[in-house]
Amino acid sequence: MQSRRFIFPVVFSILALAGCEQLPDSNSPQSNFQQVYDSISEQELKQHVKTISSDEFEGRAPTSAGETKTLEYLVNNFKTLGFQPGNGNSYLQAVELMEITADPNMQLRMGQNTFEYQKNMVASSKRETAQVNLNDSEIVFVGYGVNAPEYNWNDYEGLDVKGKTVVILVNDPGFENPESGKFQGKTMTYYGRWTYKYEEASRQGAEAAIIVHETAPASYGWSVVSNSWSGPQYSLVSKNGNSDRVAVEGWISLEAANKVFAEAGLDFSHEKAQAMQGPYSKALGTTASITINSKLKKSVSNNVIATLPGSVAPDEHIIYTAHWDHLGMDTSLKGDQIYNGAHDNATGVAASLTMAKAFSELSIRPARSITFLIVTAEEQGLLGSKYYSEHPIIPLDKTVANLNMDALNVLGRTKNVSVVGMGKSDLENYLQSAVTKQGRYLTQEDRPEAGSYYRSDHFSFAKQGVPALYAKGGNEPINEATAKYRKRASVVVKGCYHQVCDQFRENWDFGGIQEDTQMLFDVGYSIANSNDWPQWSKTSEFQR
């Protein structure tokens, strides 16, 4: 990635000497940038959100009838706006998924305690097999389940967990002990993410990995776990059938964990306190058993990719991402059965389409190409963006930057802009310029302990070395009226995360989304018309 910064200026110098088209300038008399910027409207954003989060789209589950309707909507919009197919002659990139639906008639036995599916435990398997059996597997508490040499921390050191069940704390050691200097304090690292916990347990050879849910360090309640980890679960199709994954991946509630530790003659809170101090493990002297019967179905979902070719360097791209998928339908529910996903993430899709329209209306096309990648299966573990980053259509060394949009601000205009994962790259220089124009300022995300930088699609690009930015309206309302509205609306927004009540509401204030869409339009436009190759900061884990 580093070598790219030296190539680009040379290319532009050659083009200039050859009399080719010069870099577009937003201040040029021929440019209508400001007019287009100002035309980004609340009403247009609102209409897109209202449409794709309607019941007609059935919650936009991958491989469902809702996907078909969503793809048609997206492709038709991009075609109308003059964006070209991003994948040869197609606007679609097929993503082969393995859909695994666990039979909910299961029980998890830990010691003499039996826990019920969704009530106080959830479990599934990523292995592509109809049945997995965990029989009297020895239980070992492995603290945070972290193996991080750069932090001099390894909870698995000297431990053989092959064939065993590991019980793991959520988040990382810095969260509840921020003054200790461990990890990054309250700011979650990737070691705190549930995805990492299962990955590391698999590398260690464990047979099962069970995470203890606690609302504060997880940053969401048990209902989110229950809803998100039940029903069809997806993974990318694997050549080895995911045989190298732990057989059982699950969660238990805090109440369940207290019972398991108590039976072993231990106090959970005491053991947790020990684990916070340094690498820690302890065998509980009890065993775990569960049988998971699953229905397997290979299916194909799709990413949507559309490009507006650049006027000077069309092979170099700024890629905007958002995910179109949500949780679909649950016919076992009484009353409303559709997870409409209005906030998460019809808002990001709406911003993408509105921004695409803005780019299409520019009188002077950007120098670099603008590409929108609207991905599938984000809710299942960033699978659509993961697949793309591992099978890129646009070479990663030609991908200048990634700008991501997920669950945008429906709480009204703000004085500040929240940078998720602040300080990771010099993309923030472009962001700073864009927000200064709006009379706003940058702040760190208000809950860095939630690990949001690792929870949306930009992370797939970051892992591959592409500088990625995730920023949106902050927590400081623009005025007193907005503050009052925000106080009321935030209760609904937070309470409806991954619930059927995440629905479009006519009284939502789209001023914040409008401002953020203009901001990200400006950022992408500026990068596209520069000769820079943004870099990671020296302290970023992705730089290393």
Side-chain angles (χ1 to χ4, degrees), residues 20-53:
C20 293
E21 186 174 353
Q22 299 300 300
L23 288 177
D25 179 2
S26 62
N27 295 316
S28 165
Q30 290 77 38
S31 172
N32 67 339
F33 172 82
Q34 191 61 46
Q35 178 185 344
V36 170
Y37 178 96
D38 293 339
S39 72
I40 292 173
S41 71
E42 292 184 49
Q43 189 55 43
E44 185 174 355
L45 290 159
K46 189 173 186 178
Q47 188 56 52
H48 282 309
V49 173
K50 185 175 183 178
T51 300
I52 63 174
S53 66

Side-chain angles (χ1 to χ4, degrees), residues 144-151 169-173 183 188-194 196-197 200 203 454:
Y144 287 92
V146 167
N147 178 13
E150 68 271 36
Y151 290 109
L169 298 172
V170 73
N171 213 307
D172 64 39
F183 289 69
M188 184 191 287
T189 66
Y190 186 54
Y191 297 111
R193 288 289 290 143
W194 59 268
Y196 167 80
K197 312 275 186 187
E200 187 59 39
R203 285 189 285 268
Y454 314 102

Side-chain angles (χ1 to χ4, degrees), residues 111 137-141 263-264 266 282-287:
S137 170
E138 182 181 339
I139 301 173
V140 181
F141 175 55
E263 185 185 349
L266 301 169
K282 178 171 286 190
L284 299 193
T286 56
T287 62

Side-chain angles (χ1 to χ4, degrees), residues 90-248:
S90 177
Y91 288 93
L92 305 181
Q93 181 190 37
V95 179
E96 194 174 14
L97 300 175
M98 178 61 72
E99 177 184 326
I100 304 178
T101 306
D103 186 340
N105 295 312
M106 67 172 84
Q107 292 182 325
L108 172 64
R109 182 180 60 77
M110 301 182 77
Q112 298 303 310
N113 295 286
T114 300
F115 303 117
E116 303 294 326
Y117 186 70
Q118 289 192 284
K119 182 180 178 181
N120 44 27
M121 75 89 176
V122 291
S124 62
S125 180
K126 287 293 192 295
R127 292 188 181 179
E128 296 172 12
T129 181
Q131 185 180 85
V132 295
N133 290 290
L134 188 71
N135 294 315
D136 294 324
S137 170
E138 182 181 339
I139 301 173
V140 181
F141 175 55
V142 293
Y144 287 92
V146 167
N147 178 13
E150 68 271 36
Y151 290 109
N152 194 29
W153 193 290
N154 185 3
D155 289 310
Y156 290 99
E157 187 171 4
L159 199 59
D160 181 5
V161 296
K162 291 181 173 60
K164 298 177 183 179
T165 294
V166 293
V167 174
I168 311 168
L169 298 172
V170 73
N171 213 307
D172 64 39
F175 173 72
E176 292 182 84
N177 195 11
E179 304 304 321
S180 67
K182 294 179 172 64
F183 289 69
Q184 294 182 19
K186 279 193 171 292
T187 299
M188 184 191 287
T189 66
Y190 186 54
Y191 297 111
R193 288 289 290 143
W194 59 268
T195 48
Y196 167 80
K197 312 275 186 187
Y198 295 141
E199 290 165 2
E200 187 59 39
S202 298
R203 285 189 285 268
Q204 296 291 335
E207 192 68 7
I210 308 295
I211 299 172
V212 178
H213 173 265
E214 293 186 83
T215 297
S219 82
Y220 41 76
W222 177 257
S223 64
V224 173
V225 175
S226 177
N227 290 336
S228 301
W229 272 267
S230 58
Q233 302 290 299
Y234 296 85
S235 59
L236 297 178
V237 171
S238 167
K239 290 182 180 179
N240 66 0
N242 284 324
S243 60
D244 54 348
R245 298 276 296 201
V246 292
V248 176

Side-chain angles (χ1 to χ4, degrees), residues 206-487:
E207 192 68 7
I210 308 295
I211 299 172
V212 178
H213 173 265
E214 293 186 83
T215 297
S219 82
Y220 41 76
W222 177 257
S223 64
V224 173
V225 175
S226 177
N227 290 336
S228 301
W229 272 267
S230 58
Q233 302 290 299
Y234 296 85
S235 59
L236 297 178
V237 171
S238 167
K239 290 182 180 179
N240 66 0
N242 284 324
S243 60
D244 54 348
R245 298 276 296 201
V246 292
V248 176
E249 301 178 7
W251 293 74
I252 57 174
S253 66
L254 177 59
E255 179 185 14
N258 282 324
K259 291 180 179 179
V260 170
F261 278 71
E263 185 185 349
L266 301 169
D267 178 79
F268 173 77
S269 60
H270 174 76
E271 296 303 306
K272 177 181 174 180
Q274 292 292 105
M276 289 167 57
Q277 302 306 312
Y280 187 73
S281 64
K282 178 171 286 190
L284 299 193
T286 56
T287 62
S289 298
I290 190 173
T291 295
I292 301 175
N293 295 303
S294 301
K295 292 181 180 179
L296 279 69
K297 177 184 174 185
K298 278 189 179 181
S299 57
V300 176
S301 187
N302 292 273
N303 294 329
V304 177
I305 182 166
T307 295
L308 186 71
S311 60
V312 179
D315 61 332
E316 296 168 358
H317 295 247
I318 285 77
I319 297 183
Y320 286 92
T321 48
H323 71 92
W324 61 254
D325 67 296
H326 199 54
L327 303 179
M329 301 175 64
D330 183 351
T331 56
S332 69
L333 295 177
K334 294 181 180 178
D336 190 358
Q337 299 178 333
I338 300 175
Y339 292 88
N340 300 89
H343 185 224
D344 182 15
N345 184 34
T347 56
V349 176
S352 298
L353 294 176
T354 303
M355 223 180 297
K357 181 183 177 184
F359 278 111
S360 74
E361 293 178 340
L362 289 169
S363 57
I364 303 175
R365 185 170 289 187
R368 287 162 161 164
S369 294
I370 301 295
T371 293
F372 285 89
L373 177 66
I374 317 299
V375 298
T376 184
E378 187 270 356
E379 303 290 8
Q380 301 292 339
L382 315 182
L383 297 183
S385 58
K386 181 176 188 291
Y387 182 85
Y388 178 88
S389 70
E390 294 174 355
H391 305 85
I393 296 169
I394 298 160
L396 295 177
D397 64 357
K398 294 293 185 180
T399 302
V400 182
N402 169 236
L403 308 175
N404 189 50
M405 295 160 287
D406 193 358
L408 297 183
N409 172 32
V410 295
L411 301 178
R413 294 178 61 204
T414 61
K415 297 177 182 178
N416 64 322
V417 170
S418 174
V419 184
V420 181
M422 193 172 192
K424 290 192 182 294
S425 82
D426 54 23
L427 285 173
E428 290 170 29
N429 296 334
Y430 290 92
L431 182 65
Q432 179 67 68
S433 177
V435 302
T436 298
K437 291 178 188 178
Q438 296 180 332
R440 299 200 285 174
Y441 49 88
L442 300 181
T443 57
Q444 185 183 32
E445 62 202 282
D446 60 350
R447 295 181 62 243
E449 64 270 21
S452 296
Y453 195 84
Y454 314 102
R455 291 172 60 179
S456 194
D457 294 299
H458 58 281
F459 181 51
S460 297
F461 284 85
K463 285 196 294 186
Q464 298 295 334
V466 176
L469 178 70
Y470 184 27
K472 51 188 174 181
N475 58 0
E476 300 176 35
I478 193 70
N479 53 37
E480 185 60 31
T482 302
K484 290 179 180 178
Y485 159 77
R486 185 184 184 94
K487 188 174 182 179

